[in-house]
């Protein structure tokens, strides 16, 4: 596995995309930075990473997806890789918040951003960006976030955390190629945050409604049962869960 270590970079995703245009990188090439100062999150947000305390890295995934229609398979495969790594390391409660935030109890410990490049021949290359709050202690400005340190009570070696995630990712990719996608979807729904639990959702209009997550479609749409028992599907820009 090719691992490129940097002291500081704007975005590991952007850097990996750049060097991908200049050379034929092997599958699961990794770029990791001690300081990422232009990290990206879901919905166009910025990923705030405390220098020296956070783990920020990107992974090239290629030769995995059969077609561009399967891109959400990778989202859940990566989320499950992080989830499984944490369960193995700590044995504490974790879950995956749709589409792919990693939660401990009701607080976010990490996030994933995947950028897909679809080539003219239909092949899909994916840049998987992963950000984990590892040893950060102060979350005064981020009350809905936490870190592995605060969860476990111990300082952690970021390299150990990263290699644990990469080991799980490699294992999940192999199993996906051999067995198909059914197993990752079943596992994803088992660990989905607040599935089957009444929750409050926020719409872009500012309106709110009560609903129950019933599942996620193969294209990554969230299925929510409303109070009138109707079920509606939403994409990432159409609804936000309040927690």
């Amino acid at each position: 596995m090719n691992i490129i270590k940097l002291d500081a970079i704007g975005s590991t995703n952007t850097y990996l995309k750049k060097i991908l245009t200049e050379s034929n990188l092997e599958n699961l090439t990794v770029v990791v930075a001690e300081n990422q100062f232009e990290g990206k999150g879901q919905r166009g947000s910025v990923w705030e990473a405390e220098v020296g305390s956070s783990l920020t890295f990107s992974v090239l995934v290629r030769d995995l997806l059969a077609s561009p229609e399967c891109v959400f398979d990778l989202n859940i495969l990566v989320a499950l890789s992080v989830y499984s790594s944490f369960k193995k390391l700590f044995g504490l409660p974790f879950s995956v918040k749709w589409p792919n935030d990693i939660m401990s109890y009701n607080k976010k410990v990490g996030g994933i951003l995947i950028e897909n490049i679809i080539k003219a021949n239909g092949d899909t290359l994916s840049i998987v960006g992963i950000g984990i709050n590892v040893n950060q202690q102060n979350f005064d400005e981020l009350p809905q976030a936490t870190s592995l340190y605060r969860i476990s009570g111990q300082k952690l070696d970021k390299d150990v955390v990263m290699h644990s995630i990469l080991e799980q990712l490699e294992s999940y990719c192999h199993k996906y190629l051999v067995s198909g996608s059914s197993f990752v979807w079943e596992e994803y729904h088992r660990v989905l945050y607040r599935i089957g639990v009444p929750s409050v959702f926020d719409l872009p209009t500012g309106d709110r409604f009560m609903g129950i997550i019933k599942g996620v479609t193969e294209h990554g749409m969230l299925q929510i049962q409303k109070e009138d028992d109707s079920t509606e599907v939403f994409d990432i820009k159409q609804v936000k869960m309040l927690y």
Side-chain angles (χ1 to χ4, degrees):
M1 188 177 290
N2 182 23
I3 299 179
I4 302 166
K5 293 190 173 184
L6 305 172
D7 288 331
I9 195 70
S11 163
T12 55
N13 266 30
T14 300
Y15 183 82
L16 186 50
K17 279 191 291 185
K18 178 179 181 295
I19 61 175
L20 181 59
T21 64
E22 299 167 352
S23 56
N24 186 30
L25 299 176
E26 66 180 66
N27 187 36
L28 300 184
T29 292
V30 178
V31 174
V32 57
E34 188 67 15
N35 177 16
Q36 178 180 248
F37 48 86
E38 293 176 0
K40 293 179 273 187
Q42 292 286 356
R43 306 172 191 264
S45 63
V46 175
W47 173 263
E48 298 285 352
E50 185 176 270
V51 179
S53 298
S54 299
L55 174 62
T56 52
F57 66 104
S58 297
V59 188
L60 171 66
V61 177
R62 63 190 311 165
D63 306 321
L64 180 74
L65 301 177
S67 76
E69 296 295 311
C70 303
V71 292
F72 200 77
D73 286 359
L74 181 60
N75 280 58
I76 62 176
L77 188 151
V78 174
L80 289 172
S81 298
V82 179
Y83 166 87
S84 298
S85 168
F86 290 175
K87 291 292 288 185
K88 186 176 180 181
L89 286 171
F90 307 107
L92 297 170
F94 291 94
S95 59
V96 179
K97 179 174 174 284
W98 173 82
N100 47 22
D101 284 342
I102 308 303
M103 308 290 290
S104 177
Y105 299 98
N106 292 317
K107 294 196 174 186
K108 179 177 175 178
V109 72
I112 297 159
L113 178 68
I114 299 177
E115 300 178 77
N116 296 297
I117 303 165
I118 300 173
K119 302 179 77 172
N121 63 1
D123 288 349
T124 302
L125 305 180
S126 300
I127 308 293
V128 177
I130 299 174
I132 307 295
N133 300 325
V134 179
N135 291 319
Q136 189 167 336
Q137 298 181 50
N138 186 351
F139 289 93
D140 290 345
E141 303 299 318
L142 298 166
Q144 293 179 331
T146 190
S147 66
L148 296 176
Y149 169 76
R150 292 186 68 167
I151 295 164
S152 67
Q154 56 184 314
K155 287 279 187 176
L156 300 160
D157 185 325
K158 291 182 294 181
D159 276 349
V160 169
V161 176
M162 182 179 74
H163 281 283
S164 175
I165 293 171
L166 293 173
E167 180 183 297
Q168 290 295 321
L169 179 59
E170 191 168 22
S171 174
Y172 270 97
C173 287
H174 175 73
K175 189 173 179 182
Y176 179 87
L177 287 171
V178 172
S179 305
S181 63
S182 295
F183 81 98
V184 290
W185 280 95
E186 291 170 5
E187 190 171 335
Y188 181 72
H189 280 102
R190 282 200 302 271
V191 304
L192 192 61
Y193 178 68
R194 294 192 68 80
I195 188 168
V197 178
S199 305
V200 179
F201 298 88
D202 201 5
L203 298 172
T205 59
D207 294 329
R208 293 179 178 178
F209 68 93
M210 183 71 74
I212 298 174
I213 294 175
K214 304 303 289 184
V216 177
T217 73
E218 63 181 1
H219 298 300
M221 305 280 279
L222 188 66
Q223 299 170 315
I224 302 175
Q225 181 180 327
K226 293 187 163 184
E227 289 183 288
D228 63 1
D229 286 335
S230 65
T231 298
E232 193 169 342
V233 294
F234 299 86
D235 72 17
I236 187 64
K237 296 178 180 178
Q238 292 178 321
V239 73
K240 180 180 181 181
M241 184 194 301
L242 302 181
Y243 64 100

